[in-house]
Amino acid sequence: MRTLAGVEDEEKWLAEGIAGIQHNAFFMHRALDANNLREVLKYSALMLSELRTSKLSPQKYYDLYMRAFDQLRQLEIFFKDESRHGLPVVDLYELVQHAGNILPRMYLLCTVGSVYIKSKQAPSKDVLKDLVEMCRGVQHPIRGLFLRSYLAQVSRDKLPEIGSDYEGDANTVIDAVEFVLQNFTEMNKLWVRIQHQGPGTVREKQEKERNELRDLVGKNLHVLGQIEGVDLEMYKETVLPRVLEQVVNCKDKLAQYYLMECIIQVFPDEYHLQTLEALLAACTQLMPTVDTKIVLTQLMDRLSNYAASSPDVLHEFLQVEAFAKLSNAIGKVIDTQLEMPIVGAMTLFVSLLTFTLRVHPDRLDYVDQVLGACVVKLSSVPKLEDARAMKQVVALLSAPLEKYSDIVTALTLSNYPRVMDHLDDGTNKVMAMLIIQSIMKNDSCISTADKVEVLFELIKGLIKDLDGTNVEELDEEDFQEEQNSVARLIHMLDNEEPEEMLKIIYVVRKHLMTGGPQRLPFTVPPLVFSAVRLVRQLEAQGGDIAGEDVPATLRKIFQILNQTIEALSSVPCPELALRLYLQCAEAASDCDLEPVAYEFFTQAFILYEEEIADSKAQVTAIHLIVGTLQRINVFGVENRDTLTHKATGYSARLLKKPDQCRAVYACSHLFWVDDPEGIKDGERRALRIANAAQQMVNATRGSSGPVTLFVEILNKYLYFFEKGNPHITPSDIQSLIELINTEMLSDNGNTTIHSDPFFSSTLRYIRFQKQKGGLMGEKYDLIKL
């Protein structure tokens, strides 16, 4: 690290140098004003002698150089005007070569040489060749580098390229290229040598300072890329080999990395494609410490963009076998650079895969080959723990999903799941979620059992515990989101062929049953509904289908459903299992399978009796049972009576009287369907339970509770009265209305009849029917309000 004293000394030396330049520039300008050539050369040489210092860092030397450069511009203007100094430019070119010190001599020679070329009294190529050769006399790294930078700057608009004012004979482009290449080679050598200046203890500082000077060297490559007339053949035969030779032979980490970066950025894409083999060969010869992955990544990015720019160029990639060459080069780099971290290798694979997907999207074998190479590299690592490498693997796996917008395509890649096997549990879940999101986003349908098998292997991190992970340790919200995603995914699995759909259900069930008690409540319901959908599909097609592998029969599907729901009921999750049993019973009823429907109802009743103890859950379950039983028409008299009386019995045994009342009058619909004679018993039983509820303590539910029940029963009476049930007479309805009025009047503090909104609405309905007329109006006229 530079000491404070060293910094102060450097500032002092810089100030002295600037003062020397300003002092001699003052006398030079006086001589310029007097058109005194001898004095101009004298003081300009003294001014430029300040650049001979070796005490300054590159940054400070640059400051000093720019002060001198500003004066050289004034000097060039003077040299152009022969009338001012009275000497032909040829003689002036010879005169300045007699300056005492080589560094001022070369700066003056380059300045006069620029004027000499402009005068066209000599071919540009001859003057430039002379200048570039004579600059070899300055071998100090920093002084020589800035001198050649000045030469490159003053000669840029004087190259003998095609179309310029200084164009020469047929070889004019070669001459321009040769000058730039020679200057580039010498500048690169000087730049590399800076690292050997000074003690090794300041190596880090030297590298930083060298890095600040890199653009001086790189400008030569920019000039090469802009020379008119440099076609592909010349680039391939002359320019690139000379540049790469310098890159490889310099054996310097900083120079190799920067120059390869310059080559990739400066020259046209089509040139890179046609010289790909040479570029990649150079990459494999770089120093092990060079970050080759960035170089290769930049190259592949440029080629990818070139391929995306026009479909017409894609055939060129096939002609040069770009993928094979890039794949081989990356393999060599990874194998030879043993110190390359795993994240570097993964970054290279991501870039190669991105290139492949953009250039050869139809070649899935290329994509799978890249994934296979990734598997080989990951297999050489005991365990992937680098978070950055893990991120790159996720990017690698995400690329095919984004490109093809169809998970089915990714499922055909044999190495895709093998790459996922190397992810840790957390990242595996992230990748699984990305796969599911891709399916949902693109509305993809997975329609074969084989692809479903591969898919569920990919997302196994979501459907079962990996490596003994405890579900209880997971964040509940994240866990629910994951399982809901799996549930949505199951609905995306479909096939119009019942036999294949049954195979899919078998595959899904096999994987889901390993999920454990926490996952089954999320994943079993969509599986059940998929199977029920298949049942209805089979029924619509006329029933069972005898397939070769797995015959799709209704009884077999219902058997699977029974086993699946039974697993859910043992979780335990009895309320959900009961709902699913009832769904299956209804589906069996639609298929005219009375024994199957009865079996599902039996399982639902067993669950109710043995597993559902919560009073609220019991109420919900009873209403579900009654509602389902009411919709089913498959049962014979005996089975229906058994189930109906069972449901009514459960209703009567509910804990709370109001719940009993509501459940029992709901059961009245069951009696009405098959045996209208029984409706009277059902309604009277509900009325009796309502009367019992009247005795409940008002402090707990309020006095409106029993009255509300009576009103509900009144509405039920009206329903059956309208349906023509002979056991519901106008006198029954009249009596119930009077009972409600009595109860409301007897309510403490309430002296207003019909203050209950529900009851008031019911009475308005009766009046409306009375006013409506017709047969219904005549029936309601018998009810006296």
Side-chain angles (χ1 to χ4, degrees):
M1 183 176 293
R2 301 169 65 184
T3 63
L4 181 60
V7 173
E8 292 176 348
D9 288 342
E10 193 173 22
E11 291 290 346
K12 175 184 175 182
W13 295 326
L14 175 62
E16 291 176 353
I18 292 175
I21 289 176
Q22 291 175 339
H23 174 76
N24 290 295
F26 172 77
F27 290 104
M28 183 188 76
H29 279 283
R30 289 181 61 180
L32 289 173
D33 294 339
N35 295 326
N36 188 334
L37 177 61
R38 183 178 298 277
E39 291 296 305
V40 167
L41 293 177
K42 172 185 174 182
Y43 286 107
S44 61
L46 290 173
M47 175 190 70
L48 292 169
S49 294
E50 298 294 337
L51 296 177
R52 295 170 57 198
T53 179
S54 301
K55 298 178 180 180
L56 300 178
S57 66
Q59 183 62 46
K60 298 299 182 183
Y61 190 89
Y62 175 77
D63 293 341
L64 191 65
Y65 165 82
M66 289 307 298
R67 298 297 182 103
F69 179 78
D70 291 340
Q71 302 303 324
L72 287 171
R73 293 173 63 185
Q74 301 296 323
L75 195 60
E76 183 180 2
I77 296 173
F78 173 72
F79 289 150
K80 284 181 184 178
D81 192 351
E82 185 177 333
S83 63
R84 293 180 63 185
H85 53 72
L87 199 65
V89 68
V90 177
D91 296 337
L92 185 60
Y93 187 71
E94 292 293 333
L95 179 62
V96 295
Q97 296 184 41
H98 298 288
N101 190 276
I102 188 169
L103 188 63
R105 183 196 316 154
M106 290 311 307
Y107 274 105
L108 290 172
L109 194 60
C110 289
T111 306
V112 176
S114 172
V115 176
Y116 193 12
I117 295 173
K118 276 191 173 183
S119 70
K120 298 184 180 180
Q121 297 181 30
S124 171
K125 67 172 184 176
D126 293 340
V127 178
L128 292 176
K129 183 178 180 181
D130 191 32
L131 292 175
V132 78
E133 288 290 342
M134 285 194 289
C135 283
R136 290 177 182 269
V138 181
Q139 288 297 311
H140 184 278
I142 295 179
R143 294 198 292 265
L145 191 62
F146 277 92
L147 171 62
R148 287 187 175 275
S149 176
Y150 179 70
L151 172 61
Q153 194 161 353
V154 298
S155 63
R156 174 62 190 97
D157 58 345
K158 303 172 185 67
L159 295 177
E161 56 187 316
I162 293 177
S164 76
D165 294 338
Y166 312 102
E167 181 179 353
D169 54 22
N171 295 322
T172 184
V173 178
I174 293 292
D175 296 331
V177 168
E178 185 62 33
F179 166 74
V180 178
L181 281 174
Q182 190 172 350
N183 199 45
F184 159 73
T185 301
E186 295 300 325
M187 288 184 73
N188 188 53
K189 291 178 181 178
L190 293 168
W191 183 44
V192 171
R193 281 171 49 197
I194 293 178
Q195 64 181 310
H196 304 298
Q197 299 292 308
T201 54
V202 293
R203 181 63 53 86
E204 183 178 348
K205 168 179 169 289
Q206 289 173 338
E207 287 298 292
K208 181 180 179 182
E209 292 174 345
R210 275 213 313 139
N211 192 49
E212 293 171 351
L213 298 176
R214 62 182 185 174
D215 286 345
L216 299 179
V217 183
K219 284 179 181 178
N220 290 281
L221 297 182
H222 283 273
V223 171
L224 277 174
Q226 295 170 1
I227 293 178
E228 291 293 334
V230 178
D231 56 14
L232 176 60
E233 183 180 358
M234 183 180 295
Y235 175 78
K236 191 174 184 178
E237 300 296 331
T238 304
V239 176
L240 185 62
R242 291 275 296 277
V243 174
L244 290 180
E245 179 185 13
Q246 184 59 218
V247 171
V248 173
N249 292 339
C250 72
K251 303 295 182 184
D252 178 68
K253 168 187 172 182
L254 180 60
Q256 287 184 337
Y257 174 77
Y258 173 68
L259 294 177
M260 288 300 295
E261 189 180 49
C262 279
I263 293 171
I264 293 169
Q265 297 300 327
V266 165
F267 296 105
D269 297 327
E270 56 269 29
Y271 287 13
H272 292 326
L273 185 59
Q274 297 301 325
T275 59
L276 187 58
E277 191 169 356
L279 275 174
L280 295 176
C283 288
T284 60
Q285 299 176 58
L286 300 180
M287 298 289 288
T289 52
V290 176
D291 197 348
T292 314
K293 74 174 186 299
I294 297 182
V295 176
L296 288 170
T297 297
Q298 291 177 343
L299 175 60
M300 287 186 281
D301 286 346
R302 282 214 63 175
L303 292 177
S304 297
N305 293 331
Y306 177 53
S309 65
S310 172
D312 298 334
V313 303
L314 294 179
H315 71 279
E316 299 177 15
F317 286 83
L318 294 173
Q319 289 176 352
V320 302
E321 299 180 340
F323 172 79
K325 291 176 180 177
L326 285 167
S327 181
N328 292 335
I330 288 174
K332 287 181 181 179
V333 168
I334 293 175
D335 291 340
T336 55
Q337 296 193 7
L338 301 178
E339 299 299 322
M340 177 184 288
I342 187 67
V343 63
M346 293 302 105
T347 303
L348 282 174
F349 287 131
V350 170
S351 297
L352 179 59
L353 184 60
T354 303
F355 167 83
T356 306
L357 292 172
R358 296 185 70 176
V359 179
H360 306 292
D362 56 328
R363 294 297 300 267
L364 291 179
D365 54 329
Y366 286 176
V367 177
D368 208 30
Q369 184 177 331
V370 177
L371 295 174
C374 181
V375 171
V376 173
K377 182 60 180 178
L378 291 173
S379 300
S380 65
V381 181
K383 187 177 182 182
L384 189 59
E385 297 179 344
D386 188 339
R388 296 177 302 161
M390 201 80 71
K391 185 177 181 180
Q392 289 299 318
V393 175
V394 171
L396 186 80
L397 293 169
S398 301
L401 301 180
E402 296 170 358
K403 176 62 180 180
Y404 296 118
S405 300
D406 183 7
I407 186 63
V408 176
T409 304
L411 295 180
T412 62
L413 303 171
S414 60
N415 287 306
Y416 198 94
R418 296 175 62 195
V419 175
M420 281 196 67
D421 287 340
H422 290 277
L423 299 175
D424 60 30
D425 294 350
T427 311
N428 195 298
K429 288 183 179 181
V430 171
M431 194 62 232
M433 288 292 287
L434 289 176
I435 291 173
I436 294 177
Q437 290 167 6
S438 173
I439 294 173
M440 297 301 166
K441 177 182 177 182
N442 299 296
D443 198 23
S444 304
C445 179
I446 295 84
S447 56
T448 66
D450 293 338
K451 290 176 180 176
V452 171
E453 179 71 43
V454 176
L455 173 61
F456 273 69
E457 278 296 321
L458 294 179
I459 64 167
K460 60 186 177 183
L462 298 179
I463 58 180
K464 67 179 181 180
D465 296 335
L466 300 176
D467 300 330
T469 305
N470 189 353
V471 177
E472 296 178 356
E473 298 176 358
L474 302 176
D475 181 79
E476 182 177 355
E477 185 175 343
D478 292 342
F479 178 75
Q480 290 181 0
E481 181 182 358
E482 293 170 359
Q483 298 312 303
N484 286 329
S485 296
V486 175
R488 287 192 291 270
L489 172 65
I490 295 173
H491 292 295
M492 305 301 293
L493 315 177
D494 193 22
N495 192 302
E496 294 182 359
E497 296 296 328
E499 184 182 359
E500 188 64 28
M501 187 61 201
L502 184 56
K503 291 181 183 178
I504 291 175
I505 290 174
Y506 271 120
V507 171
V508 175
R509 183 179 183 277
K510 177 187 71 175
H511 286 278
L512 294 186
M513 289 301 104
T514 64
Q518 284 81 6
R519 291 184 175 86
L520 290 181
F522 293 93
T523 55
V524 164
L527 175 61
V528 169
F529 281 104
S530 293
V532 169
R533 187 169 68 244
L534 177 58
V535 166
R536 300 191 187 280
Q537 179 185 347
L538 278 174
E539 179 62 20
Q541 295 178 4
D544 299 346
I545 295 179
E548 297 180 0
D549 300 329
V550 183
T553 65
L554 293 172
R555 290 189 178 274
K556 177 170 289 188
I557 299 172
F558 281 122
Q559 183 181 2
I560 297 171
L561 285 168
N562 194 16
Q563 295 170 353
T564 304
I565 301 173
E566 185 178 357
L568 181 61
S569 63
S570 63
V571 169
C573 196
E575 295 92 340
L576 180 58
L578 183 139
R579 289 173 180 267
L580 296 177
Y581 276 132
L582 295 177
Q583 286 286 339
C584 294
E586 190 169 355
S589 172
D590 294 341
C591 298
D592 290 329
L593 296 175
E594 181 181 359
V596 177
Y598 188 85
E599 176 62 26
F600 281 119
F601 260 105
T602 301
Q603 295 299 325
F605 283 141
I606 292 173
L607 275 179
Y608 178 84
E609 290 179 353
E610 298 180 356
E611 301 293 341
I612 301 179
D614 181 72
S615 60
K616 290 185 179 180
Q618 287 181 338
V619 172
T620 302
I622 284 296
H623 284 280
L624 287 171
I625 290 172
V626 171
T628 305
L629 192 55
Q630 182 188 2
R631 291 193 299 272
I632 290 179
N633 301 315
V634 73
F635 293 125
V637 174
E638 182 179 351
N639 285 340
R640 184 166 190 85
D641 284 348
T642 301
L643 297 175
T644 298
H645 285 89
K646 198 74 172 174
T648 306
Y650 290 147
S651 300
R653 290 196 296 272
L654 290 173
L655 178 62
K656 298 177 181 179
K657 295 298 182 180
D659 293 337
Q660 290 181 17
C661 177
R662 291 186 174 97
V664 169
Y665 72 60
C667 290
S668 64
H669 289 275
L670 303 180
F671 290 96
W672 171 252
V673 173
D674 277 328
D675 185 9
E677 297 295 331
I679 193 67
K680 184 176 181 181
D681 295 335
E683 288 297 345
R684 289 179 178 174
R685 189 167 189 179
L687 184 59
R688 186 169 63 251
I689 296 174
N691 284 324
Q694 187 180 2
Q695 308 303 320
M696 294 175 60
V697 182
N698 289 339
T700 57
R701 284 183 55 85
S703 60
S704 64
V707 173
T708 302
L709 284 173
F710 285 138
V711 177
E712 292 175 10
I713 295 172
L714 171 61
N715 279 268
K716 196 62 65 176
Y717 271 33
L718 294 175
Y719 170 80
F720 288 111
F721 178 67
E722 290 184 2
K723 295 297 182 182
N725 190 316
H727 297 281
I728 304 296
T729 65
S731 61
D732 292 330
I733 296 175
Q734 186 83 37
S735 300
L736 187 52
I737 292 174
E738 292 174 358
L739 175 61
I740 295 172
N741 286 329
T742 302
E743 290 297 326
M744 294 182 69
L745 286 172
S746 65
D747 186 13
N748 294 333
N750 186 1
T751 58
T752 304
I753 302 178
H754 312 330
S755 63
D756 183 82
F758 189 13
F759 184 45
S760 299
S761 297
T762 304
L763 295 179
R764 282 198 303 272
Y765 177 78
I766 295 174
R767 294 190 186 98
F768 171 76
Q769 292 295 347
K770 290 165 72 71
Q771 297 169 3
K772 188 176 181 181
L775 293 177
M776 191 61 67
E778 293 176 2
K779 291 182 67 174
Y780 272 89
D781 279 339
L782 300 175
I783 302 174
K784 306 301 181 182
L785 298 179

